[in-house]
Amino acid sequence: MLILLLTIISGCPSSPELIPQPISDFSLEHIDELIENGENLRALPLIASRDRDGKYTEGRYMRALEGLGDEWEEARKVKDWRKSLMYLRSFRTLGEEKRISEISEQDLLLEGVYSYLDANASGAALALIQSELELDSIDAKDRENLARRFELLGYKQFVSELRGKSRTEAPGLESSIDGTVTVWVNRGIKLVGNVGVPDRGIGSGFFIDPEGYLLTNYHVIESMVDPTYQGYSRLFVKTDDETGNRIPAKVIGWDRNLDLALLKTEMEVPYVLTYSNKELPPLGSTVYAIGSPGGLAKTLTSGTVSAYPRSIQPMAGSLQIDVPINPGNSGGPLLNKDGEVIGVVFAGVLSYEGVNFAIPGAYIKKLVPLLFEGGEVQLPWLGLSAWDATGRIKVTYVAPDSPAADAGLLPDDVIDVIDGFQFSGIREVQEYLLSRTPGTLISIDWLRMGERADGIAALGVRPSIPLETALMNDARENLITPLFGLKVQRINGYGLNKRYRITSVLPGSVADEAGFRAGDSFLLRRWIHDEEDDVVVIQMVLKGRRAGFLESAIQIATHLNINTIL
């Protein structure tokens, strides 16, 4: 989410340091090195880019393809269904499905389901089925096998679906309350003035697996996994306020981008919440939240769905709700009238009553299997920033040495098709990428100055804050467009005095809201990166047309963790 700050500034001017911009290495020597090191998925986009540009690659495509085949065979030998799925999808992107025709994508997904069940991770198995598989496409034998296994674990509603029967009577909200807990993070004592007071983080959570796995928000347990935090930190859950019993818990997996974390406790689980199999609830429909506001466990509140999607998180869209939410509710379930999970509460705007947000259930189901894998979730990325321009996805920035750079994308290209699908906006692409594993090859078609082009990219691992990484690897002036929405051209100046002309302003950007216009010019005086709050500020002396080209000192600011990154 972008923020805007306009102020008159003073002080000694300084200049941002320009860092040389590395670009993707398309040389034959680099491609040979990648193939020799077994990095065939990274080599193939570079080969495709050279071939597109008419540069001879001397049979390297076949060498990389044979290497990819060997990797596929190794993944099948060790029964690694997730890697196998990555290779299968990559072969399909290359049009080489004939090499692996003996197995289908559905076969591999079912392998994943059974592997989670065998590992006593039924919560992951259920989420994988509901997010990636159509029940009607599973053959009768597998459906019955799955029904028997889930029946033993108590998933009555889902078993009815597997057997094609009417769903059993919904358990309702009272049962769902039993499946929620208060999440406590004890960080010892902190000094307020000269007085020591308990430092505790309080949130909510809910069970998604009878083995004691539960979901909460990442920000609730952040100190447990943040390598920069050096203090005392212990994690517990409480099932009620009466006994005061604190049950130790541990963090299994977490994701910063969607603000989710998976915890594990060793206790008898009173109730397991299940996900709704319906689409997003319609605007105005009644929804319920269960949580621990102020530490008061098992508090039920209700409200309505106010809006969707809201660009609150770095990826995908959020549900806006007017359900009463207070500190301590974070990580609690958002439910429909049947007590089924349709989201996870993660934020509220304290200054505005009834403006609160939840992560939609569709994203949760996609992420849960990855959380069960353990550690920080690795989400895919292309390595570019884009802008929704009247139904078109226009590239505004390409990170150096990124998958997008390997594919040959440049700023001002308009993305048309990905893997054969057309998308109308950035959020839709982000949702699609969530279903892909880093390393997977995808095909991209784009328009460049009215001409069509295409390429392939091997998805990379998304950095926690992508543009913070870009600050370390690229010239800062290249980041003015993705961060502030200003397209600029340097007029003159070096060292402490660099003057730019604004060639265009992205509609709805920080610069647009601040009143910048094409034709304005400015002297960039200072670039400030606030690492603690992940904010970037630029200070400039602006000559604006609307002000009769009189000079004025201006400061604008934005968060680094913007939601236009693919």
Side-chain angles (χ1 to χ4, degrees):
M1 181 170 56
L2 301 176
I3 59 171
L4 169 66
L5 175 64
L6 285 172
T7 58
I8 301 298
I9 63 171
S10 61
C12 181
S14 62
S15 174
E17 177 187 358
L18 290 183
I19 305 170
Q21 179 180 0
I23 59 174
S24 292
D25 186 351
F26 293 89
S27 69
L28 292 178
E29 292 80 4
H30 179 56
I31 291 171
D32 286 338
E33 183 181 356
L34 291 173
I35 295 173
E36 289 299 321
N37 292 334
E39 297 181 64
N40 298 291
L41 287 169
R42 179 72 192 277
L44 283 160
L46 300 177
I47 294 169
S49 293
R50 284 183 63 98
D51 288 344
R52 182 188 61 232
D53 296 337
K55 298 177 180 177
Y56 190 47
T57 54
E58 299 178 344
R60 286 171 173 82
Y61 173 80
M62 291 307 300
R63 284 173 53 202
L65 197 62
E66 292 300 325
L68 202 62
D70 292 340
E71 294 175 45
W72 158 263
E73 294 296 338
E74 180 60 29
R76 296 310 303 138
K77 186 183 299 182
V78 298
K79 296 295 184 183
D80 188 332
W81 70 272
R82 194 175 290 281
K83 270 192 175 181
S84 298
L85 188 61
M86 176 184 71
Y87 293 127
L88 182 149
R89 287 170 170 167
S90 297
F91 276 118
R92 187 169 59 204
T93 294
L94 297 168
E96 299 284 350
E97 300 98 322
K98 62 181 180 295
R99 292 175 175 265
I100 49 173
S101 57
E102 74 280 0
I103 195 166
S104 70
E105 186 168 317
Q106 176 158 297
D107 293 333
L108 293 175
L109 289 168
L110 281 173
E111 275 188 24
V113 171
Y114 283 116
S115 70
Y116 283 128
L117 288 172
D118 292 341
N120 294 322
S122 58
L126 177 61
L128 184 60
I129 292 172
Q130 292 187 322
S131 63
E132 297 289 346
L133 286 164
E134 294 288 340
L135 293 186
D136 291 342
S137 66
I138 303 175
D139 67 44
K141 182 179 178 181
D142 273 317
R143 287 177 65 158
E144 183 55 31
N145 284 339
L146 291 171
R148 288 173 183 161
R149 298 192 66 168
F150 278 106
E151 191 170 33
L152 292 173
L153 296 166
Y155 292 90
K156 295 180 180 179
Q157 299 276 61
F158 184 59
V159 169
S160 295
E161 290 179 35
L162 282 169
R163 288 179 170 153
K165 299 178 180 179
S166 299
R167 301 191 80 184
T168 57
E169 185 177 348
L173 295 169
E174 289 188 10
S175 297
S176 299
I177 289 175
D178 293 334
T180 62
V181 299
T182 303
V183 178
W184 284 75
V185 179
N186 181 4
R187 293 187 287 265
I189 302 295
K190 66 178 178 180
L191 289 178
V192 178
N194 293 319
V195 179
V197 297
D199 183 8
R200 295 172 179 168
I202 303 175
S204 303
F206 60 98
F207 289 104
I208 61 168
D209 187 296
E211 292 294 318
Y213 293 97
L214 59 105
L215 278 181
T216 188
N217 283 146
Y218 163 76
H219 76 260
V220 172
I221 56 85
E222 183 175 4
S223 63
M224 298 295 300
V225 295
D226 182 0
T228 65
Y229 179 77
Q230 300 298 320
Y232 174 88
S233 189
R234 293 293 182 272
L235 177 63
F236 305 93
V237 300
K238 292 174 62 177
T239 57
D240 58 58
D241 295 328
E242 303 300 324
T243 62
N245 291 337
R246 297 186 305 174
I247 302 165
K250 61 181 178 180
V251 182
I252 300 299
W254 66 93
D255 176 63
R256 303 164 188 261
N257 288 280
L258 290 179
D259 197 10
L260 287 172
L262 181 71
L263 312 183
K264 177 75 164 65
T265 65
E266 301 300 330
M267 61 171 283
E268 185 176 342
V269 176
Y271 181 78
V272 174
L273 277 74
T274 56
Y275 315 106
S276 170
N277 62 353
K278 299 180 177 65
E279 297 296 326
L280 284 167
L283 294 180
S285 59
T286 302
V287 291
Y288 305 85
I290 303 175
S292 305
L296 298 172
K298 303 184 184 304
T299 299
L300 174 70
T301 55
S302 65
T304 59
V305 177
S306 306
Y308 177 81
R310 293 296 193 199
S311 298
I312 304 301
Q313 295 180 289
M315 291 186 66
S318 303
L319 276 172
Q320 182 181 331
I321 55 177
D322 67 0
V323 180
I325 298 296
N326 294 284
N329 273 109
S330 293
L334 186 71
L335 308 170
N336 60 20
K337 61 181 177 58
D338 294 325
E340 299 168 323
V341 177
I342 57 173
V344 174
V345 173
F346 76 92
V349 181
L350 295 178
S351 304
Y352 298 92
E353 186 177 349
V355 182
N356 304 305
F357 302 96
I359 308 159
Y363 304 148
I364 298 164
K365 287 183 282 191
K366 284 182 180 294
L367 213 64
V368 161
L370 299 175
L371 293 170
F372 271 86
E373 299 292 331
E376 185 168 8
V377 169
Q378 293 190 333
L379 295 179
W381 86 317
L382 270 171
L384 61 85
S385 175
W387 203 260
D388 289 333
T390 60
R392 302 188 311 161
I393 304 170
K394 190 171 186 178
V395 178
T396 58
Y397 173 74
V398 177
D401 206 29
S402 66
D406 291 352
L409 282 159
L410 296 172
D412 292 329
D413 289 345
V414 176
I415 295 175
D416 186 35
V417 175
I418 296 178
D419 282 347
F421 300 104
Q422 286 193 313
F423 301 94
S424 62
I426 294 169
R427 179 175 58 83
E428 289 183 5
V429 178
Q430 289 174 332
E431 290 175 351
Y432 178 75
L433 293 180
L434 278 175
S435 66
R436 294 295 180 264
T437 304
T440 306
L441 293 178
I442 64 170
S443 63
I444 311 171
D445 293 59
W446 64 87
L447 298 172
R448 178 177 297 165
M449 300 179 65
E451 298 291 328
R452 290 196 170 272
D454 61 78
I456 58 175
L459 294 172
V461 176
R462 181 186 175 101
S464 295
I465 302 178
L467 291 189
E468 185 174 58
T469 303
L471 276 176
M472 297 184 289
N473 298 316
D474 202 354
R476 290 177 175 176
E477 63 185 12
N478 293 333
L479 297 169
I480 292 174
T481 303
L483 284 171
F484 300 100
L486 287 172
K487 288 197 64 179
V488 300
Q489 179 182 39
R490 187 187 291 193
I491 302 172
N492 54 48
Y494 296 93
L496 297 178
N497 297 290
K498 298 182 181 68
R499 183 169 293 279
Y500 300 89
R501 178 182 293 109
I502 299 172
T503 58
S504 63
V505 180
L506 297 177
S509 64
V510 168
D512 185 35
E513 293 177 0
F516 288 82
R517 294 293 179 267
D520 295 348
S521 66
F522 63 89
L523 186 68
L524 185 57
R525 304 296 297 274
R526 195 177 179 200
W527 181 292
I528 303 168
H529 174 202
D530 183 340
E531 296 184 21
E532 183 176 350
D533 294 322
D534 295 320
V535 169
V536 166
V537 181
I538 55 174
Q539 297 175 344
M540 63 182 71
V541 177
L542 177 70
K543 280 188 175 182
R545 292 185 301 167
R546 289 186 174 183
F549 292 102
L550 295 175
E551 290 190 342
S552 57
I554 296 292
Q555 173 174 292
I556 57 175
T558 184
H559 281 296
L560 268 174
N561 209 10
I562 58 177
N563 50 32
T564 60
I565 302 296
L566 298 176

